[in-house]
Amino acid sequence: MEYQDAICTLNTLQTNASALEQVRRERSHPQLQLQAMRSFLERSGLTVEELDHLNIIHVTGTKGKGSTCAFTEQILRSYGFRTGFYSSPHLVQVRERIRINGQPIGKELFTKYFWQVYGRLDETKDAHGGTMPAYFRFLTILAFHVFLQEKVDLAVIEVGIGGAYDCTNIIRKPWVCGISSLGIDHTQILGDTIEKIAWQKGGIFKPGVPAFTVKQPEDAMVVLRDRAKEIKCPLWVCPELEGYQTDCGPLRLGLAGQHQRSNASLALQLSHTWLQRRCLPGGTGISENLNCVSFAGSCPLLPNHCQCSELQVGLADTEWPGRNQTLKHGAVTYFLDGAHTMRSMQACVHWFTETAAQHERNASGPVARVLLFNATGERDSAVMLKLLVPCHFDFAVFCPNITEAIASCNADQQNFNVSVENMLTRCLDNERSWRLHNRLGDNQGTQLLIEDSLPLVPEKKADTLVFPCILSALRWISQGRDSVVADPAKTVLPVKPNIMDKAAPLCDVAEIHVLITGSLHLVGGALKHLDPASSK
């Protein structure tokens, strides 16, 4: 079986009728989710006891949990440990979710382990009512299997949604837990208040296992403290990054954005606590080589040593694509950030405003700003778009999370749970919200560059456009000035002459600056075209 066979089979778990019915049934009885996960785990040949050997760091949060995990994994890898890292969603290829030593597992390894796990589950389904795990559950089981088989020293596990009933929470004995910044998201599953969401996130706490959180809104903090007390879990609030005293100079971060500083502080505490519990006297390992920093405050102290090269290198070398990422392709500069909540969009706007201004100061002439936006699920697009208005874009472009409008679309990025018509309708709604926020009026829809899907309506002014796929949008925005996007081997639907005429301002400026945001899936689809190596 080839890699693509594995991915196509995996995608059937997005639409497996019994799996989806199971998910719907469990939403009203969330405690059933962990019971089902344990059953699937056992059917795959694993036990929860085996997971104890993975020396897990478990991280949840609304904003920044992936970045926190990336910092943590890089720090511990800098100490020479063999790391496993499970995250979601992926940007370009599913393999990105399961990493060994910071790199997505290879196609051959993914295929080998996929069929091992899938085969065991498929063989036992008849004895269990024909049930198979849904997409995310399967990948979580696969990640555990890979990490055990590959004998990692530790596994950094990012929660999918929430915490208490997330399928990653079958972990019984993590070494340390962390909670990044909390906000409102996934309200249909987690609740519609910060208190309800905090209760869910605090569900990853375990008796006697150290836990850390960044500073939270007071209402959320009260809930987290109550949860920690109830579960008998020691909980500390991380200091500001500026509070750490080092003897190796300022701490430089590999990830851009002011908001990454709290994620880095959380990662410092998680990685130090893991090292302390795993390697200091009473454990095994390299205690004499631990080089950390010190802080006088409410968190457990990080020991002060003469050198802190591993720590410094770990923070500085961290990479996490699609989050505050800048790619310059000649005259076109792309600013990519998968912000998809109100708070993360606020952070995105702050980062883009500062970073784009720096690039504009170095430009050889006038610069045009373009927004490429999409949002999915229950998220409030109108709120996010309102936050983007002060960025003063010359064009706002909208498209669904479809990489290409042709049959060769990458199976890794296919989503069978939303129809194309619904995706395009959402784009039209987003475009309408943008016009209203900018006081441009509402012309009851926009002209789509795709036939036989939705009715065509009269054209609009040049300020907004809706495209049927990401590649079409990038082609129009870049106007042939990005050789990577203009690759003739990639086929797109022809753009009508009057639509091309609207792009005249983009041809006249010295540079084009493009902010791509609103959805990690949109950012991933864009990266497939902007960074071809990510698809190999």
Side-chain angles (χ1 to χ4, degrees), residues 274-334:
W274 188 91
L275 288 164
Q276 189 177 51
R277 298 195 73 201
R278 179 75 173 79
C279 304
L280 289 179
T284 59
I286 53 171
S287 59
E288 68 275 14
N289 295 325
L290 298 188
N291 302 318
C292 298
V293 297
S294 63
F295 173 80
S298 57
C299 264
L301 298 180
L302 276 65
N304 192 10
H305 292 274
C306 296
Q307 310 250 338
C308 58
S309 57
E310 293 94 340
L311 178 66
Q312 194 174 27
V313 167
L315 289 175
D317 286 356
T318 299
E319 296 179 352
W320 196 225
R323 289 81 171 176
N324 304 135
Q325 182 180 5
T326 303
L327 291 175
K328 185 169 177 59
H329 289 189
V332 187
T333 302
Y334 302 93

Side-chain angles (χ1 to χ4, degrees), residues 124-143:
T124 56
K125 69 179 181 182
D126 289 343
H128 293 82
T131 59
M132 289 288 284
Y135 189 87
F136 183 75
R137 279 181 180 165
F138 179 89
L139 287 171
T140 303
I141 295 169
L142 179 61

Side-chain angles (χ1 to χ4, degrees), residues 341-342 345-346 349 382-391:
T341 68
M342 184 183 74
M345 189 59 73
Q346 288 171 333
V349 168
V383 170
M384 290 191 283
L385 288 167
K386 186 174 183 179
L387 293 171
L388 288 161
V389 170
C391 293

Side-chain angles (χ1 to χ4, degrees), residues 226-271:
D226 288 345
R227 286 286 263 164
K229 184 177 180 181
E230 170 195 348
I231 296 171
K232 296 182 173 56
C233 158
L235 175 65
W236 288 277
V237 179
C238 295
E240 299 292 337
L241 195 64
E242 292 74 17
Y244 292 90
Q245 299 169 2
T246 78
D247 51 9
C248 56
L251 294 173
R252 187 175 67 83
L253 306 184
L255 303 185
Q258 186 68 24
H259 59 287
Q260 294 292 358
R261 301 183 72 79
S262 64
N263 298 330
S265 178
L266 177 55
L268 286 175
Q269 296 296 338
L270 294 174
S271 54

Side-chain angles (χ1 to χ4, degrees), residues 60-68 179-183 201 214 259-260 262-263 339-348:
T60 189
T62 304
K63 180 169 70 76
K65 64 182 186 292
S67 299
T68 296
I179 298 183
S180 65
S181 179
L182 297 183
K201 304 291 184 182
V214 302
H259 59 287
Q260 294 292 358
S262 64
N263 298 330
H340 53 273
T341 68
M342 184 183 74
R343 291 190 66 190
S344 60
M345 189 59 73
Q346 288 171 333
C348 172

